[in-house]
Amino acid sequence: MGDVDGFYHIPQTAGARLGSQFSAGISTLEPGQSLSAAMGGSGKAQGKGLQVRVQGLDDTQEISLSLQAKAIGQMLLSAVFQRSNLIESDYFGLEFQNVQMNWVWPMNTLFRLSVKFFPPDPGQLQEEFTRYLFVLQLKRDLMENRLPCTENTAALLISHLIQSEIGDYDDTADREFLKQNKLLPIQDRLQEKIMDLHRKHLGQNPAESDFQILEIARKLEMYGVRFHPAADREGSKINLSVAHMGLQVFQGNTKINTFNWSKIRKLSFKRKRFLIKLHPEGPHQDTLEFTMASRDHCKVFWKKCVEHHSFFRLFDQQQPKAKAVFFSRGSSFRYRQALLSLTHLSCTTLDGAQIMYSLSERGSDVVSSLDSAQSPPFDSKSPLTLSPSTQMSALSLPGRTPSPLQSPILSEVGSPRLGEDEEGRRKRFPTDKAYFIAKEILTTERTYLKDLEVITVWFRSAVIKENAMPEGLMNLLFSNIDPIYEFHRGFLKDIEQRLALWEGRSNAHVKGEYQRIGDVMLSNMCALKEFTSYLQKHDEVLTELEKATKRLKKLETVYKEFELQKVCYLPLNTFLLKPIQRLMHYKLILERLCKHYAPHHRDHSDCKEALKVVAEMAAQLQSSLIRLENFQKLTELQRDLIGIENLTAPGRQFIREGCLYKLTKKGLQQRMFFLFSDMLLYTSKGVTATNQFKVHGQLPLHGMLVEESENEWSVPHCFTIYAAQRTIVVATATRSSDEVSLESEDDTHSSRSSLDKQTHHRANTTMHVCWHRNTSVSMSDRSLAVENQLSGYLLRKFKNSNGWQKLWVIFTNFCLFFYKTHQDDFPLASLPLLGYTVSTPAEADSIQKEYVFKLQFKSHVYFFRAESEYTFERYFSYSLQQSFSSQNSEWDTSVVN
């Protein structure tokens, strides 16, 4: 912020109504103008410098600063930021109120530190201390009626504020705190509601409370809004405001219009008239005119517009964190001093903003219990200590991403290795099968919430940054998925608290009362029923998003670029199917619980009732899910196939994809086949940077004949296809070469296929895996696979290595994705499983541990060790087996059927 940028004002007195007299003074400090000159020159007369008072966001604190008489505004800002230990200072500025309409500051002016730029997502705030200051700003706005909201929302915000200030609910302490602290103008009326809500925040630390407040506030229409009174051409009283997306027009507290930056061609002012010139293609008149109280009001608002445009549009924004990392703040100022005592790594972004990354000093604590439901602490050498934006910019560049088909060998540096004492630690946790089923709910819920964040946080940030998505589609997409995301955040917290109690980490004195999960599932499944209408709209969301990407080149570009980011580890539109698929997961898990419990077990009735609720929802959405999964696959193929149009034609169903060998004049040539309900496509792999497949033939199924022809052509596993006056001969014989074997168990950078020499284009999708592994997969295989996703910590060992490496593993879409911890935003490596076999270790493998399964593809061998018999069975006997069943299916049977 420059000399003039740091100063803005409160445009109206607290609670002032539309049409009231302008009462606020406005700074017009120009670049290079000294503070003493702006204060009428009296500071210079003193000859001993300039005394300035600044009130912090915590209204109880006041900073006194002594500056040189000729100091400019930036020096005051820098001094305030330094005194406040504020790192992410670009979001803040100073404000003052001068009710006498003088255009200079009197010597007794009290400045207030305030938030100036409100990001659309608090995940963009990297520092916990910054989030705390934002909360203080929202606290101030609530009291000053600058954040209008419903009474329920206001009560919820205050309840989180109380939790942050005094901790868990206590009736006496709550009443005393509310008596001594005025947080809302209508606080007395809402006191009982506030206290009732506070009861529900048990165990929430201050940093978590701060994050909850920001998450709630950012969705309010008046979040970050600062009114500038004006009148339109007809003389009607309105209020103008500027935000991250552009200019807003309000009538009272109701937003009546928004002008996105992309629609605005020019902003200017002439005396009291503020002018907005729009691009000609806009739906409104070319130039809009508003009248303000004075030229100075116009000038200040114009400057604020320029600042916001520069801040949110002209520079590369940092990518938001998917989820803030919480610390135990306690007193925010004590926390701040503790944080400053850590070593820091400084990194300057493209826009010059300096972000600090804390380096953990707890390297010795990286090994935690395999069975713990809590997240392990950070490794001091782990990339988790960097922000997602830094990781993405460094690791997601074309040509630098390792092939998803190569060996998922991670760096040995900082990787936890588990010794023999691990066995002793495991015995401290419950061994009941119900516990491990409940823990599966917990671990998969963590993954599910991260998957939702790919849309709600990461993709939202990408489209907002480029202004690539029409407002109507933005509302349709995020108004449907945001409430679901918020619900599951609360659900995950419920599960985490229950597992902590079950394990005895929070209630060592309690025996048995909390060793159940049915009551948690029942209450949340009943609450989830309220979101059925949102889930039913996912069909429309997916369809409209696909239409928009075809129609809008900018959105298509953002979409494709986003899919290349590591956080988007699956095709983007698959994440939109997750909410409905998650219902199927709940149904399967609850079925296992009900089967495990005896009818008289105290948890059986709740589990049975929860299963009934979720089964009803799943039945309502089953047909929609089948349709959406088919549509998702068709749109994925439309992007990956060159030479075919309108693949998503109504009524078309995807059946199977896989690798076959077509007989040509040059002999058998590898081809990728795609079977649909009305046609058969065969393609070859392109040599372009996009890794797309080129269509060579399109055969209609109507009238098609398939005959075995092994004797005629002397080729094993061969059949002939007659269709549309064309005849082709194909073979299903496995013809593997060294080029197909992409894994290397000793060196990540050794033998690479041609795939690794190109820019990757969603290269871990099933079509690419089928191509390299000479196998096939059907739509029914895909449907079964997504219903049985798994997440959790596994120990991994290579064939010739000594120790076991602890990794967070996600099994989905026929692939294992490897992370250091469940808090990582994207996988470090992946292992596609099509073509692999699963077995238990042989005697020659010399594995002396329990619950170990072996994955093998040719000479590539991996051993994985589960935490329990239940987890072992889930991976070995069921889910992984599904990945390998598809390779035994016959192509000719599919075609005939």
Side-chain angles (χ1 to χ4, degrees), residues 423 426 794-795 804 841 847 849-853 864-873:
E423 298 296 331
R426 296 171 64 175
L794 290 177
L795 301 180
W804 294 85
I847 302 294
K849 301 292 184 180
E850 289 184 303
Y851 315 135
V852 177
F853 58 89
F864 291 92
R865 180 177 160 208
E867 62 180 353
S868 67
E869 182 179 4
Y870 170 80
T871 310
F872 169 80
E873 289 294 331

Side-chain angles (χ1 to χ4, degrees), residues 653-668:
Q653 295 181 347
F654 169 77
I655 298 175
R656 177 177 287 276
E657 63 185 339
C659 181
L660 296 172
Y661 289 85
K662 181 177 178 291
L663 189 63
T664 68
K665 293 179 181 180
K666 297 181 181 180
L668 288 173

Side-chain angles (χ1 to χ4, degrees), residues 261 267 301-311 314:
W261 296 122
L267 293 175
F301 184 59
W302 175 81
K303 285 182 178 179
K304 288 188 66 176
C305 293
V306 171
E307 290 168 347
H308 276 71
H309 182 267
S310 300
F311 190 85
L314 293 188

Side-chain angles (χ1 to χ4, degrees), residues 398-428:
R400 296 180 63 178
T401 306
S403 167
L405 295 184
Q406 74 186 33
S407 172
I409 296 178
L410 309 181
S411 170
E412 297 291 327
V413 179
S415 299
R417 296 283 173 175
L418 303 183
E420 295 300 325
D421 61 340
E422 180 66 24
E423 298 296 331
R425 297 179 187 179
R426 296 171 64 175
K427 292 181 171 57
R428 294 184 300 186

Side-chain angles (χ1 to χ4, degrees), residues 511-540:
K511 300 296 182 182
E513 177 64 23
Y514 293 101
Q515 295 182 355
R516 56 196 175 101
I517 197 67
D519 57 329
V520 176
M521 293 299 294
L522 178 57
S523 62
N524 281 278
M525 292 305 100
C526 290
L528 189 58
K529 286 180 66 176
E530 302 298 323
F531 295 90
T532 305
S533 60
Y534 293 100
L535 297 175
Q536 289 171 338
K537 286 187 177 181
H538 275 51
D539 198 334
E540 180 185 359

Side-chain angles (χ1 to χ4, degrees), residues 262-277:
S262 59
K263 298 178 183 178
I264 298 174
R265 183 178 175 186
K266 182 179 180 182
L267 293 175
S268 60
F269 64 96
K270 294 181 180 179
R271 296 184 179 88
K272 295 195 301 183
R273 292 182 297 138
F274 186 81
L275 306 172
I276 305 174
K277 192 169 186 178

Side-chain angles (χ1 to χ4, degrees), residues 162 272 408 462 665 670 806 880:
I162 297 175
K272 295 195 301 183
K665 293 179 181 180
Q670 187 177 5
K806 182 180 179 181
L880 287 178

